Amino acid sequence: MEADLNMHRAFGIAVLAAMFLTPAVGAEAPAQTMSVSLAREVASKTVALVESRGLYPRQQAEYDRARMALLAMFDGQPLEIDRTGLYTRITGLLATLDTNGHSFLIPASHDLTTRSTQSTSNDLPPATFQVLQTSKGKVLRWTPPPVVNSTTMALGPYLTRFHDEAGTTPDIADACALVVDLSEQTGGNAWPPLVAMYPLFSDANNAMWVDRDGKRTTLMNRAGLEDMRQRAGEGRANPLNRFDKGPLAVVTDKRTSSAGEMLLIALLGEARVQTFGSTSSGMTTANATYPLPDGSTLVLTQSRYALGKGPVIHGGIAPMHPINPGESLVDRVASAAEWVAENSASCRATGRK
């Protein structure tokens, strides 16, 4: 089933961009050089992946020059290749792609998975819940924290903290509307928070992946998210179930980036959503990760996003309700909470003050 395939391939998507992850504890630094045969394998696999799956270059001639520079390292039949030089030329190749700088190489001395396989619920920041009082009633604010781990191991601990904190938040049952605050979503793995918020998505969600040839694939599927939740072993009732209908407010920030923008686009796929805050950072592309023969990892941008049949999204996403000069995060959250309470039938029905 296509939707199910999307859900399972997507744990490699939206990996933390524009920074190298912390080296694995105890990992040895790789040698400064590598054999020419290994270096050739790294270069060849990179080129093959870029040309078969990556977004197209901004200018083909620019890409061709970078490709020639990479392959020129093997001229003259050297016995060894400088690792830093190889990585620099691969980075130059990736820089020619139309990806907003979102494709990059993680060196062999940095590890995507070692820490995640040791993850426990205590390794993750808590999913922040707060009940806000508005003029029309109480509103729940949820600020999903970012997740650096890119593997499925991150999901179970994330959901545990999500449910544990919801269960200890005073007055959460009194909230008549919801604000999702993406101001802390600075990048990483989008799927744990997406699974946590699965009740907010409907079958009519129109968020799309768009590949390099323009083919559009549905991004969200509530049944698929529910299946992922069950496989993670979390059986408690989701505290967001009550907000599956009615208006939904979303707060954005200029730091909302990469995985955070994937969450934003998924939420914008619901017609009931209104956004408040600042334009997001502009890392609005989706990545997949590929191990390379020397232990390094290629993070390759393979698609962009769109809403329905609308234009493909490039760059930052502007809010529907921009902040005014001098407004703080507290101000924009308060504005979002007032709007969602004012427009919520649940708030009007309860008449809470």
Side-chain angles (χ1 to χ4, degrees), residues 328-351:
S328 66
L329 174 62
V330 172
D331 294 328
R332 76 185 76 160
V333 170
S335 295
E338 286 291 343
W339 174 85
V340 76
E342 176 72 30
N343 289 277
S344 168
S346 296
C347 292
R348 291 195 297 271
T350 57

Side-chain angles (χ1 to χ4, degrees), residues 29-231:
Q32 293 301 309
T33 62
M34 68 177 79
S35 68
V36 67
S37 60
L38 178 58
R40 196 184 299 275
E41 286 183 47
V42 172
S44 297
K45 184 172 182 180
T46 298
V47 169
L49 287 168
V50 166
E51 295 185 355
S52 63
R53 302 183 184 183
L55 293 187
Y56 291 121
R58 293 184 300 273
Q59 296 180 5
Q60 187 62 42
E62 183 185 23
Y63 172 81
D64 291 341
R65 287 193 296 271
R67 184 178 186 274
M68 288 178 61
L70 172 60
L71 300 181
M73 294 191 74
F74 306 104
D75 292 347
Q77 298 182 331
L79 295 178
E80 292 189 325
I81 295 293
D82 177 71
R83 186 181 298 271
T84 300
L86 177 65
Y87 288 171
T88 297
R89 297 198 189 193
I90 289 175
T91 298
L93 182 81
L94 299 176
T96 70
L97 305 180
D98 186 20
T99 68
N100 302 113
H102 208 179
S103 291
F104 57 101
L105 186 72
I106 298 175
S109 61
H110 295 71
D111 186 42
L112 276 171
T113 60
T114 299
R115 289 186 301 158
S116 64
T117 60
Q118 302 169 346
S119 177
T120 68
S121 62
N122 291 328
D123 296 327
L124 297 170
T128 303
F129 287 95
Q130 180 185 13
V131 176
L132 307 173
Q133 182 67 55
T134 74
S135 62
K136 302 297 182 182
K138 293 180 179 178
V139 170
L140 179 64
R141 172 194 183 186
W142 178 47
T143 308
V147 183
V148 172
N149 293 341
S150 67
T151 74
T152 59
M153 298 296 292
L155 180 57
Y158 194 94
L159 293 181
T160 297
R161 290 298 292 264
F162 170 77
H163 283 276
D164 287 351
E165 185 170 307
T168 58
T169 300
D171 299 330
I172 193 171
D174 295 333
C176 55
L178 175 67
V179 172
V180 178
D181 180 1
L182 299 180
S183 62
E184 295 298 318
Q185 276 290 326
T186 55
N189 181 353
W191 290 92
L194 275 173
V195 173
M197 66 173 78
Y198 84 90
L200 306 182
F201 302 112
S202 67
D203 292 338
N205 188 288
N206 70 349
M208 299 284 175
W209 275 307
V210 185
D211 72 12
R212 64 184 191 170
D213 295 315
K215 179 182 178 182
R216 301 190 179 213
T217 306
T218 301
L219 172 62
M220 299 310 307
N221 179 275
R222 178 172 167 143
L225 293 173
E226 166 65 4
D227 178 65
M228 291 165 71
R229 182 189 70 85
Q230 291 179 353
R231 294 187 188 191

Side-chain angles (χ1 to χ4, degrees), residues 247-262:
L248 178 62
V250 177
V251 172
T252 61
D253 185 75
K254 62 183 179 181
R255 299 188 309 132
T256 303
S257 181
S258 187
E261 288 168 305
M262 182 178 172

